[in-house]
Amino acid sequence: MGRGLTLLLLPLALLAAPVQAEGGTAAAAAEEVKIEVLHLPEVCSPKSKKGDLLNAHYDGFLASDGSKFYCSRTQNEGHPKWFVLGVGQVIKGLDIAMMNMCPGEKRKVIIPPSLAYGQQGYAQGKIPPNATLIFEIELYAVNKGPRSVEAFNQIDKDSDKKLSELEISQYLKEEFARDGKKRHPSVHDEILADIFKKNDHDGDGFISAKEYNVYQHDEL
């Protein structure tokens, strides 16, 4: 699935993705992440929260010798990275460090090993065991995440607080048509089946507001 379609299908994109469970309390972990604000816009709004879709560039350095191990500008043709905050799509320390951050803000953060790659390190990323990491972050956008109230209501055509197979099927067809790319009908059927397999936990043939709103950052 191409990047364009992925962004068009944001309200459903993470319905087919597992959500990483959190361990410990954010308050306790936040004390271990050191945050330095390098630039704060005069108008600092909206501020990021768990479940928001963020667009950012960031560089990663080893605190031990200052060597750079990661640069988002060298990937994906230099485009900033899109990810959902607070659900484990980045390391725990970055999930914490980027809370309450607004578009245009720049931060320098120091993340201890326990909130990064721990005792095992990450050999593929050239990060040794027990490494403290430094990130320089520039945030470009804070958007409502894929499981916001607005996204749910957009799909819930009859406003009954649950999503039927027909409603999600129709939404997929509309987004496919908007994307303009030709796809085999089986793609639609596979995505629809996967969504219900991973989200219809009680097997009643509907995705309820509770089943949909796994991030619990809005009231449905």
Side-chain angles (χ1 to χ4, degrees), residues 133-179:
L133 307 181
I134 298 174
F135 284 93
E136 293 181 357
I137 308 163
E138 182 173 4
L139 184 61
Y140 294 100
V142 176
N143 296 331
K144 280 284 188 178
R147 305 222 185 173
S148 66
V149 172
E150 291 82 356
F152 184 92
N153 290 338
Q154 183 180 3
I155 304 168
D156 184 23
K157 299 295 187 182
D158 59 8
S159 302
D160 63 353
K161 297 299 181 183
K162 57 184 179 182
L163 305 180
S164 67
E165 185 172 328
L166 180 61
E167 286 173 326
I168 294 181
S169 175
Q170 183 60 35
Y171 185 81
L172 281 172
K173 290 177 181 177
E174 292 172 358
E175 293 303 317
F176 282 165
R178 190 180 305 172
D179 182 57

Side-chain angles (χ1 to χ4, degrees), residues 13-181:
L14 293 189
L15 283 175
V19 178
Q20 180 173 309
E22 294 184 83
T25 63
E31 296 176 356
E32 302 179 52
V33 176
K34 297 180 181 179
I35 299 174
E36 178 186 356
V37 177
L38 302 177
H39 175 72
L40 191 67
E42 290 185 12
V43 178
C44 189
S45 178
K47 292 193 175 184
S48 60
K49 61 183 182 300
K50 182 180 178 182
D52 281 343
L53 181 71
L54 305 188
N55 187 235
H57 267 313
Y58 49 88
D59 296 334
F61 307 85
L62 297 178
S64 58
D65 61 7
S67 61
K68 182 183 291 188
F69 63 84
Y70 181 80
C71 177
S72 61
R73 291 174 175 83
T74 64
Q75 299 187 358
N76 194 28
E77 298 180 344
H79 296 295
K81 290 180 67 68
W82 287 99
F83 62 93
V84 178
L85 183 64
V87 300
Q89 292 188 354
V90 292
I91 59 172
K92 182 72 172 179
L94 279 176
D95 269 339
I96 294 168
M98 296 184 70
M99 289 287 183
N100 298 311
M101 195 172 180
C102 62
E105 184 174 347
K106 297 179 183 180
R107 291 182 177 181
K108 179 180 180 179
V109 302
I110 301 176
I111 299 174
S114 61
L115 297 174
Y117 293 96
Q119 296 180 354
Q120 71 275 16
Y122 182 48
Q124 185 177 347
K126 300 181 180 180
I127 299 173
N130 299 309
T132 295
L133 307 181
I134 298 174
F135 284 93
E136 293 181 357
I137 308 163
E138 182 173 4
L139 184 61
Y140 294 100
V142 176
N143 296 331
K144 280 284 188 178
R147 305 222 185 173
S148 66
V149 172
E150 291 82 356
F152 184 92
N153 290 338
Q154 183 180 3
I155 304 168
D156 184 23
K157 299 295 187 182
D158 59 8
S159 302
D160 63 353
K161 297 299 181 183
K162 57 184 179 182
L163 305 180
S164 67
E165 185 172 328
L166 180 61
E167 286 173 326
I168 294 181
S169 175
Q170 183 60 35
Y171 185 81
L172 281 172
K173 290 177 181 177
E174 292 172 358
E175 293 303 317
F176 282 165
R178 190 180 305 172
D179 182 57
K181 295 181 180 179

